[in-house]
Amino acid sequence: MSKETLVKSYDTLRRDVAARDRGLREKVMTLEEAATLVSDGDHVALGGCTLSRTPMAMIWALIRARKQGLTISRSITSTEGDLVFASGLGRKIISSWFSQGIVWGISKVMRHHVEKELAEFDEWSHMAIGLRFRAGAMGIPFMPVRSMIGSDVARIRGDEVKPMNCPFTGERLMALPALNPDVALIHVQRADAYGNAQLDGLQFMDIDIAMAANKVILTTERIVSNDQIRRAPDHTRIPFFTVEAVVEVPYGSVPHECYGQYEPIFAQLDRYAALTSKDPVAGAKQYLDEYVYGPKSWPDYLSMVGMETLLTASRRGRVIFND
Amino acid sequence: MTEQTSASIAYTASELIAIMAGRLLVDGQIVFAGVGIPLLAATLAQRNHAPRLTILFEGGVIGPFIVPGELPPSTNEQRCTRRANMVLPSTDVLLLLQRGYIDVGFMGGAQIDRFGNLNSSFIGPADKPTIRLPGTGGGNDISSLTYMIVAMKHEKRRFVEHVDFITSPGWIDGGASRAERGLPMGGMWRVVTDLAVMGFDEETREMEVLALHPGVSFEQVQDNTGFPLRRVPEITTTALPRSEELALIRELDPGRLYTA
């Protein structure tokens, strides 16, 4: 990352927000229309974490739109990171952890791209990623932290982190640069047409990401009326004025999970692992051809996953409401 | 996995590690647990001797009860939240470490050295790795800010003189070096393997064997370690896994997702 883009200037941040139409307006569009809001080379943050509330349909649409050269940031990266590298959508991923998941072993696709220097995985501690987004959300250029100090995780970040002493106590701290993505992709359970988004269950870093980003592309399991939002404003986590697009995508995180809606589609994840562990290049290409470039539409992709599989995942997803 | 038989009870290496590690947790503690054996061991302790144990997951969960047979694939799925007291943003649950609410962090390790530093990032040099590992996740934060229990397989390639890369700091170069580097709190407390339980010398911070598992000799532990191990004078032997402990583990993980 060049030094100019490590921390966005406060002038730029304020100017970008000021330039956006922040009035209450409808923003409902298709995945394809939303994809045009992302430019090649943008820094795109992904909401969710590991196999949870991954904005998979939107990533899928960006790959299909042949976007290139994105820098991706996410708390913890799973199969979506593999697809970003394998498709050429992005060449750099900023994250604390990157693999499919411990039950599938180390991602061969991640290993292939990083070890062959075809792409970069910039490693930060999990809390460091979170505090970078939080600093971005707070409109300040850095955040001090008491971790990453003394480790090689900090050492290999070079000039991207700065050891500092507290101006009040003199204690040793690590200064982390703010992260203000150009675009945030966030998948939620429900939102209204204006972009007021309500989240169930685990929030991960999504609220900070939304506030830090220059604009949010929301995908949502369903669009609800503004009246429904106003009946429970305490459940609204992302305010409409951060949002530029609202796309209704049922099962929009498949094959990952969406809290209270559906669990991960383990059959798809097992198939993906089997394909890519044999040959990370050919396996990922086959998966992309079959499931990303092949289908006519997102519902067409879901048909390939299968009705029975989706219903089972949904039944398991709703179990938490019985506890 | 070869099953070991002691008396009439057979168990796998992973089951042994989970049981021995779970026994180290104390009722009333707040434990920050990673996925896999740590999650299993903490749940075992919670259902066994430590009913008031509070488990935290970095996905943003306080005090859940894992449902048997529904183990999560990471610490970030809804299976981690069952009957929890609170869910909160992951940054905020990690900040509880920094604030000081966590008694012990508990995770697995790929590679460890004599001062308890952990590597989960690179095998070989960081700029030209032989293997790019998945990375720190919350490991660096947890090990920087609280006391740690690590559960791992005891193999020479995992127990090395110097880790290739310090992902999660232990006692750094030993002695007072951890505090001198700017990490005044916490540190590596226990390493639990399928052979032994280890701690760290109060002065030098070198790894030392505290207890051997049943049927294991000190020489066997040393042979599987890539650096000279210290041993405490009053070295003990751990109690055999009890059938109730094994039954609980198999109830929690019937598909052997974590204990294969």
Side-chain angles (χ1 to χ4, degrees), chain B residues 8-116:
Chain B
S8 59
I9 308 172
Y11 46 83
T12 66
S14 305
E15 288 174 334
L16 180 68
I17 297 170
I19 288 168
M20 295 303 178
R23 288 178 185 173
L24 296 176
L25 298 172
V26 177
D27 196 23
Q29 277 184 329
I30 298 180
V31 55
F32 210 101
V35 72
I37 297 289
L39 181 150
L40 204 57
T43 304
L44 182 68
Q46 190 183 50
R47 284 162 174 264
N48 215 341
H49 66 277
R52 296 187 312 115
L53 188 78
T54 297
I55 299 173
L56 268 59
F57 292 131
E58 69 182 58
V61 189
I62 296 180
F65 288 92
I66 292 298
V67 175
E70 296 183 32
L71 298 174
S74 85
T75 52
N76 305 295
E77 287 78 34
Q78 67 171 34
R79 290 183 181 188
C80 297
T81 67
R82 303 297 287 274
R83 301 190 59 230
N85 287 305
M86 184 177 185
V87 295
L88 69 172
S90 23
T91 307
D92 294 279
V93 80
L94 286 157
L95 283 169
L96 292 171
L97 288 157
Q98 188 162 277
R99 181 65 182 86
Y101 279 101
I102 317 306
D103 294 297
V104 62
F106 190 175
M107 60 195 200
Q111 195 185 53
I112 193 167
D113 67 20
R114 68 194 307 172
F115 297 117

Side-chain angles (χ1 to χ4, degrees), chain A residues 165-222:
Chain A
N165 292 315
C166 169
F168 299 102
T169 65
E171 287 169 290
R172 210 168 317 172
L173 301 166
M174 189 65 83
L176 305 168
L179 206 46
N180 287 102
D182 299 309
V183 186
L185 312 183
I186 298 177
H187 185 72
V188 300
Q189 286 86 357
R190 59 195 170 276
D192 69 11
Y194 306 125
N196 289 299
Q198 300 193 334
L199 274 177
D200 295 331
L202 295 162
Q203 300 169 19
F204 306 111
M205 300 174 181
D206 292 17
I207 299 159
D208 286 330
I209 290 172
M211 304 298 178
N214 185 37
K215 60 187 167 200
V216 176
I217 297 176
L218 269 187
T219 52
T220 178
E221 288 291 318
R222 61 191 186 103

Side-chain angles (χ1 to χ4, degrees), chain A residues 14-66:
Chain A
R14 292 292 298 259
R15 201 175 51 235
D16 287 348
V17 166
R20 288 182 43 228
D21 174 2
R22 282 157 286 133
L24 198 69
R25 62 191 164 89
E26 294 201 4
K27 298 154 190 166
V28 179
M29 59 183 80
T30 64
L31 284 171
E32 290 72 24
E33 288 165 341
T36 66
L37 300 176
V38 177
S39 305
D40 287 350
D42 271 355
H43 171 190
V44 176
L46 308 181
C49 187
T50 326
L51 300 174
S52 284
R53 270 193 315 92
T54 307
M56 198 63 88
M58 198 61 233
I59 296 166
W60 180 89
L62 291 175
I63 295 173
R64 285 161 64 98
R66 310 281 173 173

Side-chain angles (χ1 to χ4, degrees), chain B residues 33-210:
Chain B
V35 72
I37 297 289
L39 181 150
L40 204 57
T43 304
L44 182 68
Q46 190 183 50
R47 284 162 174 264
N48 215 341
H49 66 277
R52 296 187 312 115
L53 188 78
T54 297
I55 299 173
L56 268 59
F57 292 131
E58 69 182 58
V61 189
I62 296 180
F65 288 92
I66 292 298
V67 175
E70 296 183 32
L71 298 174
S74 85
T75 52
N76 305 295
E77 287 78 34
Q78 67 171 34
R79 290 183 181 188
C80 297
T81 67
R82 303 297 287 274
R83 301 190 59 230
N85 287 305
M86 184 177 185
V87 295
L88 69 172
S90 23
T91 307
D92 294 279
V93 80
L94 286 157
L95 283 169
L96 292 171
L97 288 157
Q98 188 162 277
R99 181 65 182 86
Y101 279 101
I102 317 306
D103 294 297
V104 62
F106 190 175
M107 60 195 200
Q111 195 185 53
I112 193 167
D113 67 20
R114 68 194 307 172
F115 297 117
N117 302 300
L118 290 168
N119 173 22
S120 57
S121 301
F122 300 93
I123 300 297
D127 54 352
K128 201 82 189 154
T130 323
I131 302 176
R132 184 43 159 126
L133 298 171
T136 158
N140 175 279
D141 303 308
I142 301 166
S143 65
S144 296
L145 296 167
T146 191
Y147 288 99
M148 288 284 299
I149 300 174
V150 170
M152 58 193 286
K153 285 288 226 4
H154 211 127
E155 296 168 359
K156 211 164 196 161
R157 66 186 180 101
R158 294 178 183 274
F159 281 69
V160 297
E161 176 77 37
H162 293 289
V163 288
D164 293 338
F165 186 90
I166 298 182
T167 308
S168 302
W171 299 107
I172 312 277
D173 299 319
S177 59
R178 178 182 164 100
E180 285 162 8
R181 286 273 197 106
L183 297 171
M185 300 296 166
M188 193 56 69
W189 183 61
R190 290 290 182 268
V191 181
V192 184
T193 71
D194 45 334
L195 299 180
V197 177
M198 281 139 296
F200 294 84
D201 181 81
E202 286 289 317
E203 290 295 316
T204 67
R205 299 302 188 185
E206 288 169 284
M207 195 183 289
E208 59 186 11
V209 178
L210 304 175

Side-chain angles (χ1 to χ4, degrees), chain A residues 53-319:
Chain A
R53 270 193 315 92
T54 307
M56 198 63 88
M58 198 61 233
I59 296 166
W60 180 89
L62 291 175
I63 295 173
R64 285 161 64 98
R66 310 281 173 173
K67 298 287 175 183
Q68 287 175 36
L70 305 185
T71 291
I72 299 288
S73 55
R74 195 181 194 209
S75 51
I76 286 180
T77 304
S78 178
T79 55
E80 80 289 351
D82 281 6
L83 300 183
V84 164
F85 280 173
S87 68
L89 178 62
R91 292 268 175 256
K92 186 208 282 269
I93 292 183
I94 299 166
S95 195
S96 72
W97 198 90
F98 183 177
S99 201
Q100 185 173 348
I102 67 151
V103 294
W104 295 279
I106 306 172
S107 162
K108 291 273 188 5
V109 178
M110 177 278 283
R111 281 193 57 193
H112 169 77
H113 284 87
V114 175
E115 291 167 15
K116 300 258 186 312
E117 296 180 34
L118 304 169
E120 294 170 65
F121 159 29
D122 282 7
E123 181 178 338
W124 298 71
S125 84
H126 198 165
M127 186 160 72
I129 298 267
L131 292 175
R132 293 190 65 192
F133 283 131
R134 182 151 299 172
M138 291 169 72
I140 53 172
F142 74 94
M143 183 74 87
V145 69
R146 294 181 191 270
S147 64
M148 277 186 73
I149 297 167
S151 73
D152 289 327
V153 181
R155 183 182 55 80
I156 60 163
R157 294 269 53 85
D159 286 344
E160 295 183 348
V161 293
K162 301 281 184 194
M164 63 174 285
N165 292 315
C166 169
F168 299 102
T169 65
E171 287 169 290
R172 210 168 317 172
L173 301 166
M174 189 65 83
L176 305 168
L179 206 46
N180 287 102
D182 299 309
V183 186
L185 312 183
I186 298 177
H187 185 72
V188 300
Q189 286 86 357
R190 59 195 170 276
D192 69 11
Y194 306 125
N196 289 299
Q198 300 193 334
L199 274 177
D200 295 331
L202 295 162
Q203 300 169 19
F204 306 111
M205 300 174 181
D206 292 17
I207 299 159
D208 286 330
I209 290 172
M211 304 298 178
N214 185 37
K215 60 187 167 200
V216 176
I217 297 176
L218 269 187
T219 52
T220 178
E221 288 291 318
R222 61 191 186 103
I223 292 179
V224 298
S225 69
N226 180 248
D227 286 336
Q228 268 203 55
I229 297 288
R230 288 180 192 270
R231 260 176 242 133
D234 52 325
H235 289 185
T236 306
R237 297 282 178 258
I238 296 171
F240 68 93
F241 47 71
T242 63
V243 175
E244 277 299 306
V246 178
V247 188
E248 189 174 40
V249 194
Y251 294 95
S253 281
V254 169
H256 294 183
E257 80 168 27
C258 184
Y259 192 100
Q261 307 282 321
Y262 44 90
E263 281 210 327
I265 312 294
F266 290 102
Q268 267 270 295
L269 294 168
D270 288 344
R271 171 155 169 73
Y272 176 78
L275 278 174
T276 53
S277 62
K278 232 179 4 209
D279 182 338
V281 178
K285 184 178 183 304
Q286 190 184 335
Y287 185 90
L288 285 167
D289 285 343
E290 226 172 291
Y291 296 110
V292 180
Y293 299 119
K296 294 196 299 289
S297 60
W298 185 255
D300 193 31
Y301 161 66
L302 295 176
S303 306
M304 297 171 75
V305 173
M307 178 70 87
E308 193 177 343
T309 305
L310 290 176
L311 290 180
T312 303
S314 303
R315 199 163 55 237
R316 286 184 177 159
R318 293 181 201 127
V319 159

